[in-house]
Structures are given as C-alpha cells and as structure tokens.
Amino acid sequence: DSRRKKIEANIRAFQEKMDAFSYNMRQIEREQNERLLEAEVRAITPLVEELVGEVSARYRKYGNGVSEYLEDVKEHVLGNHRNFLPVEDEHGEPELEPPAIDPRLNYRVNVAVDRTGQKGAPVVVERRPNVANLSGYFEYRETQGGLVTDHMMIRPGALQTANNGYLIVQASDLLAHENAWSCLKRALRHKEAKVEDGTGSSDGRPRLAGMLKPGSVPLRIKMILIGGHETYYLFRSEDEDFERLFKIKADFESSMPCTKQNVIKLTRFLGKVCREEGYLPIHRTGAIRLVELASRMSSHKDRLTTRRAGLLDLLAEASFFARNDNARAIRDEHVSTALSERRRRHGALADEIIQDIKEGTVFIRTKGSAIGQINGIALYDSIGASFGVPVRITARIYAGRRGVVNIDREVNLSGAIHDKGALILIGYLGGRYALKRALGLSASVTFEQSYDEIDGDSASCAELFALLSALSGCPIRQGVAVTGSVNQLGEVQPIGGVNVKIEGVFRVCKGRGLTGNEGVMIPKANVKHLMLSREVIDAVAAKKFNIYAVSSIDEGIEVLSGVSAGRRRKDGSWTPGSINDLVEQRLTQLAEVIRQQPLTTALDQEL
C-alpha cells in the first residue's frame, strides 16, 4: 500500500507538471505560429501588393470604387493566404484531390449585367413578369449535403437588366403572377433592386439552407405598364400607391387621320413586315386594298386604324394565297380572297340566320308595302366577327289609355338602352301631337320572332316609323330596312356598325334578287362612316340597291311612304293629306272613341 501510494503521488505530481508543460507548449506553439504567420505575410506582401497594384492601376480610371474593392481584396488575401496553400495529409504529403471549396471563389466577380458594346439606355420587355424574373433569383447546385449556392450563382432580373433605362411590362401579365405587383411596387417605392429568392415559403421564410442575402442596387428606371382602360382603372381604384408611382397616362388613339403622310407610313410599315416575315412583296393594288380595310376598321372613311393586328393577320393570309397562285406580289385579288375566307370561317351563324330567312322560317318581306310593319336591322356580335340581318318590327294601334307598350320590354327581353329608346318614342309623340289634348291611344310595338335579349337604341327610328304608319294608315316600303336612333325632337342620330348592317341587308336582298327597290335607310351623320364592300358599292352604282341618308323622322317617313310629312301651319294644324295630318286625325278619332266609351276594356279598368 505504501508503495502504491507513493506511485500515485508521483503520478499526481507529474500530471501537475504535464498540465503546466502542455499549457506552456501551447503558448509556445501559438507564439511560434503567430511569428510564422507574420513572417509569411511579410514574405508574400510584396508579391500581393505588386499583383493587386497592377490591376488597380489598370482600372483606376473607373473611380475610387474599384480601387477600394481591390484594396479590400489585398487585405483579405493577406489575412487568408493559407487557404491557397496545398493541404497535406498525415504524412506531410500534399493531397492530390482539390479542396471542396475553391479558395478563389470569394474573389470572383459575378458580372450580372454586361452592357459591353451597348449604345444608349437599355430597353427591356419582360414577357413573364414573376417575382424571380423581375427581381432576380439564385441558382442552386445539388451536393451530398443538400442544395448550396454562392454569389456566382445569382442571376439578374428585369429590374437589374433595365436599370438606368426602360422596363416594359404588360399589366395583365403582372396581375397573373402572385406577388409580382408587390415586388415591383416595393422596388419602385424604395428605388432599389434587390434579389428576392423565389423558393421561399409564403410567409417569407427561406426553405433552403445557405441562402445568401445580397445587398440592394440603387434603382433608376422608367417603368412602363401596357394595358387597357379596365386594367388601368382597376389598378387605380384598388391600390392607392399606383397613382403615385405611375403619374403619366399615355392613351393611344384607336385611329389616325387618313392623310397622305399616314398612308405612306402605313404602306411602308406593311412592306417592312413583309420583308421581316418573309412574305411576298405588296403590289400597289394590294396596298390600296389594305389601306381601304384600315379605314373600314376605323369605322370612318377619313381615318385609318392604329390597331394593326388584324391587318397583319390578313397580310399573312394574302401572302399565302399569292404563293399558291405562283404570283410575284400580293395583289388586290389575294387580299380579297383572304378577306372572303375569313368571313367564311366566322360566318356560320350568319349563314344559318340568312338561310332561315331564305326558307321562310323567319318572316322578312323585301317587296311591296305594308301598314305598321317595317324591317329593322339587328347587329350580332360573335367572336371574331359581327354581322347584321334584317328583323321585322310591327306596331298595332287601338283605342285605350295605356300609351305605347313595348312588348319586349314588358317580358324582360330588352336592355336598359333599348328601354330608353322606347320611352323616347312616347316623348316624341307627346311633344308633337299632344300639346293641346291628352295622348289617348294604346299601341304595341315588338320585334317579331325574337327570342333573345335586345339592347341598343338603333331600332328606335324603325319602331317610330312603324307607329306612324299604323296611325296614319299609310303603307311603307318593305324593301327598305331602317337603322338609326331618334331623340325626342325627331332628329335621327348616328349608330354603330353601319357597314355590316348594310351588307347584311344587301346579302338577304341579293339572295332574293335585286329589283332596284331595295335599300337601307341610315342616319345622315353616319355617311362619313361608310366603308362598304365593293359588291355593295357596285350595286349602288348600278342603281340596283339604294342607301338613303336622313336627318329627321319627317325625311325618313317621306322616303318610306312616298307621302309628304307636311308642315305645321299657323293655326296649329298640319298640311292636309300629309303624314302628320293623318296621324293627328287618327289620334283625334281614338280620343273620341275613349270619350264616348270610357274604360270599357279590362285593361283600361286596371289602369
């Protein structure tokens, strides 16, 4: 025991000396390592300063920013130079495999945006404006430990690419991507572009380890959003920051004046498209035809459309047909063929309706005369095309006090604008014929064989003509279809779609055989909008089809009935035998019937 205790005491004494010895050894090693490190730094400093100095001198002209960066590089290299030394194994031999992390990675520069050779400010059009494409994103590489990234894998977005320039984005595309508007608004508000990793979760927390947090770049940019009126007002009403960020609204007109300069510019543009797209060149006759169509698309004979997508599609089709004919250029006939093929593709519904008229399923008269019956014109808007067809409107008059009843309105088959036109008829009749006595009549007006909702006031003239015919007893021509709206003063007002309405009536009349008595009555104010097909123009020139332009109800009723509308004389009466005189006489008769037999009908008793 005594010997064991002596050995243990020696061990404890030795351990105490070993602890002191180990501590002293570590201190010596640390001091030695520090002296060695200082010696190494002293040894490599001239070399590093020489190499960095050469680069710094080369790029000194770019400002202090580059020099400061290179100075930081020098200090970092001197402080971490051992990262560049080869790694030795346990036997002191250098390892053959390269290190897992390249020590030079920290000194590499990621040139995210390179504008070498570029002149002027950049103009960037972002067609897929999601968060990543706007602000930039990180690329990741897969390793055994998971997905990793570094600063060399940062990719710029449209904001960085367009910095100091212009960025153009479709507003509808921006709304289609989640958080894209918020990302763009944040960048514009703070005037900085910052890479936002799109792989983060919905609450903003990153899902991948090792994600970098790069600093922001000062943003100086002109942002252009392209969209329609509805999108503009949606942004403005839903986000109070929109008006502050986007102060200028540039509203482009849908048409331009049809001047010589604009015609030349349009034809040059079409010629440029042919060269760029590989189409055949445009012949003079083809260019004239396309200019005519540009004017028709603007719905004005003195203007040209600025919406050129339809023209370009037609140009492509015309080039196709020209190649099929082995032609050297796109001529008038090729444009006409393309146009007729387009109408055929979109004309199934129109063909079906016109076939029903031709077979007599839908009652439309285009010959002779009739009382209280007239042909209006319905405008159908289908996807890709619109067309007009005649529709029969009838009016019936009888004794009563209910006034003018629009049957379509009563059964909720009419829109608000059509209802307004129906009420205007009552105002016109009252203002003209009921100044000295009550307007005592009952009348019904309706669109025959119409089973869908009707809207618009372009049939109000036709309805009024049918009423005047029923009141006066004068038959009106069935070969003349009528379009136009009327106000309470009896003035005929312009309407839309005048060209397709005329062509729709012409197609029906042509199918039954033109006699020269058919035609269409339009408002005089719509004459400037006429850009009809050549077939209609040729028929009018040959006096086989007629277009009447009127500015008042009196002018129109004279054309339809062949009877003078008459004038009001000083005593308040109308010219004897005129339409207005016959109408007033009929109203007097109806009022007398009501006076002699008051409230005899169940309908009047309800009133």
Side-chain angles (χ1 to χ4, degrees):
D1 290 342
S2 61
R3 185 177 180 182
R4 177 170 49 81
K5 291 179 181 179
K6 185 177 179 180
I7 293 174
E8 289 177 352
N10 291 335
I11 291 174
R12 287 194 296 271
F14 179 79
Q15 186 66 42
E16 291 175 358
K17 293 180 179 180
M18 280 299 301
D19 291 341
F21 176 78
S22 298
Y23 174 78
N24 291 331
M25 282 296 297
R26 288 195 299 271
Q27 289 294 107
I28 293 172
E29 289 176 355
R30 184 180 299 110
E31 292 174 359
Q32 182 183 4
N33 187 57
E34 290 175 356
R35 290 195 298 269
L36 180 60
L37 183 61
E38 291 175 358
E40 291 176 353
V41 171
R42 286 195 302 269
I44 67 173
T45 295
L47 177 61
V48 174
E49 288 180 345
E50 179 183 356
L51 295 175
V52 174
E54 292 178 358
V55 179
S56 181
R58 190 185 312 163
Y59 294 99
R60 186 176 293 113
K61 60 182 179 179
Y62 293 104
N64 294 330
V66 175
S67 299
E68 293 174 358
Y69 169 76
L70 292 175
E71 188 66 24
D72 292 340
V73 170
K74 183 186 74 172
E75 296 298 330
H76 193 274
V77 170
L78 293 176
N80 299 272
H81 67 280
R82 288 184 174 178
N83 293 337
F84 299 93
L85 300 178
V87 180
E88 297 179 352
D89 59 13
E90 57 184 1
H91 303 291
E93 299 293 333
E95 293 184 354
L96 299 178
E97 295 184 359
I101 300 178
D102 187 352
R104 294 170 296 179
L105 177 63
N106 291 332
Y107 310 105
R108 290 178 179 171
V109 177
N110 183 356
V111 183
V113 179
D114 185 3
R115 294 176 180 166
T116 304
Q118 178 177 325
K119 296 181 180 179
V123 179
V124 177
V125 180
E126 180 53 58
R127 293 179 172 81
R128 193 169 181 267
N130 54 29
V131 174
N133 290 346
L134 284 174
S135 67
Y137 57 94
F138 298 93
E139 287 185 347
Y140 290 83
R141 62 175 177 271
E142 187 174 0
T143 64
Q144 293 181 353
L147 299 177
V148 296
T149 186
D150 54 62
H151 72 282
M152 293 300 295
M153 303 181 73
I154 297 176
R155 300 296 175 256
L159 290 171
Q160 291 88 353
T161 307
N163 201 4
N164 293 309
Y166 303 86
L167 176 58
I168 304 174
V169 175
Q170 286 282 348
S172 57
D173 294 339
L174 193 65
L175 293 175
H177 294 90
E178 185 180 3
N179 297 327
W181 168 243
S182 299
C183 171
L184 178 62
K185 185 173 65 172
R186 187 163 50 251
L188 296 177
R189 185 194 299 123
H190 299 293
K191 296 182 180 180
E192 62 180 20
K194 187 174 183 180
V195 177
E196 299 183 13
D197 190 13
T199 61
S201 60
S202 59
D203 58 359
R205 293 177 300 177
R207 295 187 300 186
L208 295 176
M211 188 182 73
L212 301 177
K213 295 182 179 179
S216 60
V217 177
L219 185 64
R220 184 175 177 269
I221 196 172
K222 295 291 185 181
M223 183 71 210
I224 301 172
L225 284 183
I226 299 176
H229 291 90
E230 293 182 359
T231 307
Y232 172 79
Y233 290 112
L234 174 63
F235 272 110
R236 187 167 179 175
S237 61
E238 296 296 330
D239 196 327
E240 60 183 10
D241 293 330
F242 176 76
E243 188 174 2
R244 183 173 62 86
L245 296 174
F246 295 87
K247 299 181 181 299
I248 299 176
K249 176 188 176 186
D251 199 356
F252 293 91
E253 296 184 11
S254 60
S255 63
M256 59 185 177
C258 185
T259 62
K260 180 179 179 180
Q261 292 77 10
N262 286 339
V263 170
I264 293 175
K265 291 178 180 178
L266 176 58
T267 52
R268 286 177 177 174
F269 170 75
L270 296 175
K272 180 181 179 181
V273 171
C274 288
R275 291 191 298 271
E276 292 179 350
E277 299 295 333
Y279 303 154
L280 291 176
I282 306 178
H283 190 265
R284 180 174 59 86
T285 58
I288 293 173
R289 183 71 167 139
L290 287 171
V291 170
E292 290 179 356
L293 292 174
S295 185
R296 176 185 172 95
M297 291 170 64
S298 70
S299 300
H300 200 294
K301 65 180 181 181
D302 296 326
R303 300 189 69 84
L304 298 171
T305 183
T306 58
R307 306 290 190 261
R308 298 174 182 176
L311 279 179
L312 298 184
D313 292 340
L314 194 64
L315 182 63
E317 292 186 49
S319 177
F320 171 78
F321 290 116
R323 291 186 188 277
N324 283 353
D325 291 343
N326 295 321
R328 296 182 178 180
I330 302 173
R331 295 179 175 270
D332 179 14
E333 56 267 24
H334 304 131
V335 179
S336 298
T337 302
L339 191 61
S340 62
E341 285 297 312
R342 175 178 294 185
R343 290 172 179 168
R344 182 185 63 82
R345 292 194 299 268
H346 296 283
L349 180 59
D351 292 341
E352 182 179 350
I353 296 175
I354 292 177
Q355 183 65 26
D356 289 339
I357 295 175
K358 183 178 180 180
E359 295 176 351
T361 305
V362 176
F363 296 163
I364 296 293
R365 291 182 58 182
T366 57
K367 292 180 174 59
S369 301
I371 297 175
Q373 178 176 309
I374 194 172
N375 288 329
I377 308 176
L379 181 64
Y380 289 84
D381 284 320
S382 60
I383 298 177
S386 60
F387 60 93
V389 292
V391 57
R392 186 168 69 159
I393 300 174
T394 59
R396 299 286 287 177
I397 304 296
Y398 53 92
R401 296 178 179 174
R402 198 179 184 192
V404 180
V405 176
N406 190 289
I407 295 177
D408 301 289
R409 178 190 177 194
E410 294 297 316
V411 297
N412 297 323
L413 277 179
S414 61
I417 299 178
H418 179 267
D419 295 342
K420 177 184 177 182
L423 296 174
I424 287 175
L425 301 186
I426 301 175
Y428 171 81
L429 293 175
R432 171 157 285 202
Y433 304 112
L435 295 177
K436 296 182 179 180
R437 59 177 177 273
L439 190 64
L441 87 157
S442 290
S444 60
V445 180
T446 188
F447 282 73
E448 301 290 354
Q449 293 182 286
S450 175
Y451 309 105
D452 297 322
E453 182 175 337
I454 302 169
D455 203 2
D457 60 351
S458 62
S460 57
C461 274
E463 292 174 331
L464 182 53
F465 288 139
L467 277 172
L468 294 178
S469 172
L471 285 168
S472 65
C474 295
I476 54 179
R477 297 164 57 184
Q478 299 299 291
V480 179
V482 176
T483 184
S485 66
V486 63
N487 59 28
Q488 294 188 107
L489 303 178
E491 298 169 333
V492 178
Q493 302 173 140
I495 43 82
V498 63
N499 292 300
V500 293
K501 288 181 177 180
I502 293 174
E503 291 167 357
V505 174
F506 175 80
R507 185 177 177 184
V508 172
C509 295
K510 179 186 175 183
R512 294 182 172 182
L514 297 174
T515 64
N517 295 321
E518 297 82 9
V520 176
M521 180 181 294
I522 65 171
K524 192 172 183 179
N526 278 124
V527 171
K528 60 179 175 291
H529 301 137
L530 291 180
M531 286 297 298
L532 298 166
S533 65
R534 294 186 177 180
E535 187 179 23
V536 177
I537 294 175
D538 294 340
V540 173
K543 297 183 179 181
K544 294 182 178 180
F545 193 75
N546 305 283
I547 298 177
Y548 304 96
V550 298
S551 58
S552 66
I553 292 298
D554 287 343
E555 290 182 18
I557 197 65
E558 288 180 355
V559 174
L560 292 170
S561 65
V563 181
S564 173
R567 294 184 178 181
R568 189 180 289 276
R569 298 187 293 188
K570 293 182 179 181
D571 59 358
S573 62
W574 292 93
T575 304
S578 64
I579 291 289
N580 286 305
D581 180 54
L582 296 175
V583 170
E584 194 160 84
Q585 291 180 26
R586 182 65 182 277
L587 290 174
T588 302
Q589 294 172 1
L590 293 174
E592 183 64 22
V593 171
I594 295 173
R595 188 183 65 82
Q596 294 178 0
Q597 300 177 353
L599 301 178
T600 55
T601 66
L603 182 60
D604 287 335
Q605 290 176 5
E606 291 180 3
L607 295 174

